[in-house]
Amino acid sequence: MAKDGKDTNAAVLQYLVMQNRPFALNDLLLSAQLKECGKTAVQKALDQLVVAGKVKEKNYGKQKVYVVDQDLVSSPNDPDLVQMDSKIAELTRQIAEDQGVIKQAESELKTLNSTLSIEELSAQLEMLQAENEKMESKLKDLSQMKVKLSASDFKKVNATKEKAASELRKRKRICVDMLDQILESYPKGKKALLEEVGVEPD
């Protein structure tokens, strides 16, 4: 059923506002909303809308193209734009902060993955302490002349003892550093942490 002139004008204007892009007459007639209006009625509506200043007409050779006047198209007002710009700036800042946190966490994870775990350090400490006690016992026996060794053997044993003591100090230092790092985010005290991981302080 064909629409009257006012209805056709309203339908054409509404379609142009909704689509907000240039259309030739034949393109408008392909739309479901305007197809039933008929070519003559749509053309007449376009002419009247151009005269009224609501639609702009452009000539490209033999073809005419129509686009709605941009003053009729709703756009964000200045307060909306300011609010959107502020929101974008806030989101950009938050993303930058999150990326910094992720980068720091990745760096800490890489460091932790490259070092021994608390359990491994504890096991090594126990092994080195046992070895150190064994060497101390041997040196005590030597000092009391319970065991006879040549000068070269004594020197060798003493060097081994010094090496074990140095390694023990090194491992203790690594263990202390790791414990300090964990304590920064550990909810309890140092004593509770040592009990939890099974490390006995000197």
Side-chain angles (χ1 to χ4, degrees):
M1 179 177 179
K3 298 181 180 180
D4 61 29
K6 290 183 179 180
D7 288 343
T8 302
N9 288 9
V12 171
L13 182 60
Q14 182 183 26
Y15 185 76
L16 289 174
V17 169
M18 289 177 57
Q19 300 299 319
N20 193 25
R21 66 180 181 87
F23 283 96
L25 175 61
N26 290 334
D27 295 330
L28 290 172
L29 294 172
L30 294 175
S31 67
Q33 295 93 319
L34 302 177
K35 186 183 296 184
E36 64 180 28
C37 295
K39 184 174 182 180
T40 302
V42 172
Q43 181 64 68
K44 184 177 180 180
L46 288 170
D47 293 339
Q48 291 176 352
L49 291 170
V50 169
V51 172
K54 296 180 179 180
V55 172
K56 303 296 183 182
E57 179 184 275
K58 299 284 186 180
N59 291 313
Y60 294 96
K62 295 181 180 181
Q63 187 177 42
K64 292 182 179 181
V65 174
Y66 302 89
V67 64
V68 68
D69 186 271
Q70 292 303 296
D71 291 339
L72 300 178
V73 180
S74 61
S75 59
N77 55 35
D78 289 343
D80 289 338
L81 289 175
V82 171
Q83 185 177 4
M84 284 190 290
D85 288 341
S86 176
K87 186 64 175 178
I88 290 171
E90 174 65 20
L91 290 174
T92 301
R93 183 188 64 78
Q94 187 62 50
I95 290 172
E97 289 183 359
D98 291 344
Q99 288 176 338
V101 172
I102 291 172
K103 186 175 181 180
Q104 181 179 356
E106 289 176 343
S107 177
E108 291 178 357
L109 179 61
K110 184 178 180 181
T111 300
L112 290 174
N113 287 336
S114 63
T115 58
L116 296 176
S117 66
I118 294 295
E119 290 78 8
E120 292 171 326
L121 284 171
S122 298
Q124 288 206 9
L125 278 173
E126 290 179 5
M127 181 187 69
L128 289 170
Q129 285 173 338
E131 186 175 346
N132 190 57
E133 291 175 1
K134 183 178 179 181
M135 298 303 297
E136 290 285 358
S137 177
K138 284 186 177 182
L139 284 174
K140 184 178 180 181
D141 289 342
L142 287 172
S143 64
Q144 294 176 359
M145 302 302 292
K146 292 182 179 180
V147 178
K148 293 183 179 181
L149 289 177
S150 64
S152 60
D153 288 339
F154 181 82
K155 186 176 181 180
K156 182 177 179 181
V157 170
N158 193 54
T160 301
K161 184 251 183 187
E162 290 297 329
K163 182 178 179 181
S166 175
E167 186 67 20
L168 178 61
R169 288 192 297 271
K170 177 181 176 182
R171 294 297 178 180
K172 280 184 177 180
R173 191 162 52 249
I174 294 174
C175 185
V176 169
D177 290 342
M178 287 193 67
L179 288 172
D180 288 341
Q181 288 183 9
I182 295 172
L183 281 170
E184 291 180 1
S185 57
Y186 190 70
K188 302 178 183 178
K190 185 175 182 179
K191 183 178 180 181
L193 176 61
L194 293 177
E195 292 177 355
E196 184 174 336
V197 300
V199 175
E200 297 182 2
D202 293 338

